[in-house]
Amino acid sequence: MEKNEIYNGLINIVKSEYVKMDEPLKNHLYTQLGGKADYLVMPTTFEEVQKVVRFTNRAGIKHTLLGNGSNLIIKDGGIRGVVMNLKYLNDISSEGETVVAQSGARIIDVSRHALNESLSGLEFACGIPGTVGGALYMNAGAYGGEIKDVLDYAYVVDKHGELVKRNAKELGFDYRTSNIPENGDIVVEATFDLTPAKYEDVKATVDDLTYRRESKQPLEYPSCGSVFKRPPGHFAGKLIQDSKLQGTNIGGAEVSTKHAGFIVNKDNATTADYIAVIEHVQKTVKKNFGVDLEREVRVIGEDK
């Protein structure tokens, strides 16, 4: 199928202002890293997501889901095929002890909504910069809480373009993982089951976690958050710090001097810079302590 045919097929599904060709993905990502997408599509309804999936299936084109990229690195060569960004699916509502959020909403905003409704359970998410969809994708967590602790069920568009309800147990949650990617599901909405609490108590917890995050994390620069999973019996940040790697830089990417577990985009870094720093950290920690650091952040896309 020719490039213009694909474009015309997409604008028959989604309004033309929400379809872009050869779009630099770094303009849409928290990390400000990444090459171009052949096609970037931003659906505004569940039905549009379904139709895009069915269209790419019929056309034999790969489709890739993109949140805000707060835990994702896209290589400098970009992504072939169709990239879907669900940032316009961002409604948040509540009824009783339940909060319902569409996948493009920021999980921080869902946490704030829960606070305003005097509901407890999502305080841990008050500093996680990702979207709801991304939070489910990787079972996001912080400060002892995880998505699996509060999710009741989700609606997903499956690989055939069908809208399907999946309860939390069906999503195979584990430490920073789920079965969402292997099933080819696209989360479009999540329902959280929370607990009524005093507003003042929820706010005190949120304020405490926010202070702890802002005082320790390098929020003044773009980053993909905590780069490595916690190795058994160790803390990744401590191993990196003890390896005297803080301040190490390649190109515009640097191991944060504020928090050793973060690599920041300090000066117009390329993805190649970022990956080179990650690999240098892994090799150095392995040499010094015999510990393999496993990436928590995902890397996708093509080399330049």
Side-chain angles (χ1 to χ4, degrees), residues 90-94 99-102 105-106 109-111 113-114 132:
N90 57 13
D91 287 348
I92 305 170
S93 62
S94 55
V99 171
V100 179
Q102 292 182 337
R106 298 191 311 162
D109 293 333
V110 183
S111 176
H113 181 95
V132 168

Side-chain angles (χ1 to χ4, degrees), residues 35 71 98 100 102 107 125 149 168 203 230 232 247 267 275 293 303:
N71 196 56
T98 297
V100 179
Q102 292 182 337
I107 194 68
D149 300 332
K203 188 174 188 306
R230 180 184 295 176
D267 185 18
I275 292 173
L293 292 181
D303 290 318

Side-chain angles (χ1 to χ4, degrees), residues 42-49 85-92 101-106 131-132 186-189:
M42 295 168 278
T44 59
T45 67
F46 297 175
E47 185 179 14
E48 287 180 354
V49 177
N85 184 317
L86 305 186
K87 66 180 181 180
Y88 293 115
L89 290 173
N90 57 13
D91 287 348
I92 305 170
Q102 292 182 337
S103 62
R106 298 191 311 162
T131 62
V132 168
I186 296 173
V187 175
V188 291
E189 186 178 86

